[in-house]
Amino acid sequence: MEQYEPDRLSPVQVAAIRRSLRSGRAAMTRRSLLRASAGGALTVGGLGALSACGIPAAGKTQGGTSAEDHSAEEKVVDFSNWTEYIDVDDSGKHHPTLETFRRRTGIQVRYTEDINDNDEFFGKIKPQLAAGQDTGRDIIVLTDWLAARLIRLGWVQKLDPSHLPHAYTNLSAQFRDPDWDPGRAYSYPWQGISTVIAYNKKALDGIEVRSVSDLLDNPRLKGRVGFLSEMRDTVGMTMLDMGKDPGKFTDDDYDAVIARLQRAVDKGQIRRFTGNDYTSDLTKGDFAACVAWAGDVVQLKADSPDVDFVIPDSGYMTSTDNMLIPNRARHKTNAELLMDFYYEPQQAAALAAYINYVTPVDGVKPYLAKIDKGAADNPLIIPDKAMQARSHAFRSLSQKEETAYEEKFAKLTGA
């Protein structure tokens, strides 16, 4: 088990965090700003390195550390999630799926939207976790790289499969076995996030874009191509195009990707590396095509007939936001029941219809079709088996790798 140490971030890692907060996926809420102007961005992302300023070094802790479970006598669940990341009724005051859960089980969900960024939220809870104390939360939702960190530190509890029959049965194959939590012993996905190629048909004017190679090599697109300022997305998509596996790559593979992207920068092929602001470039036609987050594309397509997307034959990148139960949580059983509830296809459909992210639950399509047929037929929300088979996840990075890779990426992007 990894020992928690107060390592300081390198200057380039601090810059990368700030870049993510300013213009990356962490810069906006999950849904609210997608409806603003031309679009928005997925609020995920961040760095695998974690700052621990102000906390003394802690020795190894025991994974799965639980307080006495008060679920039977305290019919509550304390649930912390990202903002605008759950269904809301027309009044804007109630969450229909949570109300359904309460009526069915008698368990009240105290739902708090207090996660705006992975690093920021970690700063809130790390003192209690490091000290072996209750965070006051039974479920937290974290992006995969931070979920991996907490699992390695032994700061989240192992799940009881007997409380998760729907989750075990209905979890989509593409999310079942991440390298940081094999078999999903400690986590279950809340939603998935996909990285694809988006394009403006009018700006392309007949030019075909099917791959990252088209973005990097077609001279007719010079100066009208965008890549993301999030390292895992840009490097992962380029790595796939080069025939490498983002889940198993070496230092040499990474360097080869950076060199290829650098050549495109040097010849002016890439207009710029962007965060969420690529949406306005795309809709205006300043970008003819770019690497994009699928949640944006769903919204942009609804607002602009010129915007569309393509999944390269080489595959696409995927990541997840994940539900976990922190150590010392008072209501572990109730938390597991709520996690399992969202793996019932009908409930997953209600959630997907509102937030338009990749649902990690099999069997959702017929239920979603009754709510929104367009969403049910959208492969960016419900990937078919062929699309699922083309998804890839970026492998976990060590602290040393994180520092080295971000330095090289920052030099490439001019950050």
Side-chain angles (χ1 to χ4, degrees):
M1 186 177 297
E2 179 177 324
Q3 180 172 336
Y4 184 67
E5 297 178 350
D7 297 328
R8 297 184 62 86
L9 295 177
S10 69
V12 72
Q13 288 173 309
V14 172
I17 290 173
R18 290 173 178 165
R19 185 174 68 245
S20 180
L21 288 169
R22 286 195 313 268
S23 60
R25 287 180 291 184
M28 304 176 74
T29 63
R30 281 294 199 268
R31 184 183 176 90
S32 58
L33 294 185
L34 287 174
R35 292 299 186 186
S37 67
L42 306 177
T43 44
V44 178
L47 299 172
L50 301 173
S51 174
C53 299
I55 294 185
K60 295 182 180 180
T61 59
Q62 296 299 316
T65 304
S66 175
E68 181 181 352
D69 192 348
H70 296 272
S71 293
E73 65 271 21
E74 297 178 5
K75 293 292 186 179
V76 296
V77 175
D78 291 293
F79 185 1
S80 282
N81 203 351
W82 297 72
T83 54
E84 306 291 344
Y85 208 20
I86 198 170
D87 54 312
V88 179
D89 67 5
D90 291 339
S91 74
K93 298 179 179 179
H94 303 286
H95 307 296
T97 53
L98 293 181
E99 290 294 318
T100 299
F101 178 76
R102 179 190 59 79
R103 289 193 301 269
R104 182 191 298 180
T105 65
I107 299 170
Q108 179 71 41
V109 180
R110 296 189 293 220
Y111 186 78
T112 306
E113 295 181 326
D114 60 346
I115 306 178
N116 292 299
D117 170 67
N118 284 290
D119 281 293
E120 178 187 45
F121 182 71
F122 185 72
K124 293 180 182 179
I125 63 175
K126 64 186 176 184
Q128 295 98 325
L129 291 172
Q133 299 172 352
D134 179 16
T135 65
R137 299 166 174 88
D138 301 307
I139 298 177
I140 55 178
V141 177
L142 302 176
T143 305
D144 43 20
W145 63 264
L146 183 53
R149 179 77 171 192
L150 265 65
I151 291 170
R152 291 196 303 269
L153 288 166
W155 286 357
V156 293
Q157 297 187 53
K158 193 170 186 178
L159 302 173
D160 184 343
S162 70
H163 296 153
L164 295 154
H166 296 98
Y168 179 81
T169 301
N170 296 329
L171 177 61
S172 296
Q174 72 181 109
F175 300 119
R176 279 192 177 272
D177 201 33
D179 66 352
W180 48 269
D181 186 15
R184 292 288 180 180
Y186 293 89
S187 69
Y188 269 95
W190 176 249
Q191 296 291 286
I193 304 112
S194 300
T195 304
V196 298
I197 293 176
Y199 58 86
N200 184 311
K201 288 179 277 190
K202 185 176 180 180
L204 283 179
D205 192 25
I207 301 171
E208 184 177 49
V209 170
R210 303 290 304 175
S211 67
V212 170
S213 287
D214 292 332
L215 300 183
L216 293 174
D217 301 332
N218 190 330
R220 296 174 64 191
L221 296 177
K222 182 177 180 178
R224 298 192 295 141
V225 167
F227 279 75
L228 293 168
S229 57
E230 294 287 349
M231 181 266 286
R232 288 168 175 79
D233 297 304
T234 285
V235 169
M237 290 292 283
T238 308
M239 194 172 288
L240 287 170
D241 188 75
M242 296 172 68
K244 303 294 184 179
D245 184 352
K248 300 178 181 179
F249 66 90
T250 65
D251 288 349
D252 288 343
D253 294 332
Y254 186 89
D255 289 345
V257 170
I258 295 297
R260 187 179 186 201
L261 290 166
Q262 187 66 59
R263 289 193 294 272
V265 169
D266 292 343
K267 68 182 181 182
Q269 185 76 7
I270 298 175
R271 185 183 184 94
R272 64 192 184 104
F273 294 85
T274 72
N276 59 271
D277 47 330
Y278 73 83
T279 55
S280 60
D281 287 319
L282 187 63
T283 54
K284 289 187 299 184
D286 292 340
F287 282 165
C290 61
V291 177
W293 293 308
D296 293 349
V297 180
V298 173
Q299 300 299 327
L300 294 177
K301 279 174 59 66
D303 297 333
S304 173
D306 292 326
V307 173
D308 212 333
F309 74 98
V310 64
I311 303 294
D313 289 340
S314 59
Y316 66 99
M317 297 302 296
T318 188
S319 57
T320 52
D321 287 332
N322 308 275
M323 297 180 284
L324 305 105
I325 300 176
N327 283 354
R328 303 294 181 182
R330 287 178 61 88
H331 312 110
K332 181 174 184 285
T333 297
N334 290 347
E336 289 166 338
L337 294 176
L338 181 59
M339 292 167 69
D340 193 60
F341 171 79
Y342 278 104
Y343 275 81
E344 296 177 13
Q346 186 172 355
Q347 310 308 328
L351 184 63
Y354 188 83
I355 64 176
N356 295 157
Y357 279 71
V358 178
T359 177
V361 183
D362 281 341
V364 166
K365 188 168 185 175
Y367 295 97
L368 185 55
K370 295 178 182 179
I371 305 170
D372 184 340
K373 189 176 186 305
D377 292 335
N378 192 330
L380 298 182
I381 298 174
I382 302 182
D384 57 26
K385 290 184 178 180
M387 184 170 173
Q388 289 182 18
R390 292 154 67 188
S391 71
H392 298 266
F394 206 89
R395 69 169 174 82
S396 299
L397 300 179
S398 67
Q399 175 75 25
K400 181 179 179 181
E401 288 175 325
E402 181 73 40
T403 300
Y405 293 170
E406 281 290 355
E407 286 176 351
K408 293 173 182 178
F409 190 72
K411 184 178 179 181
L412 167 73
T413 62

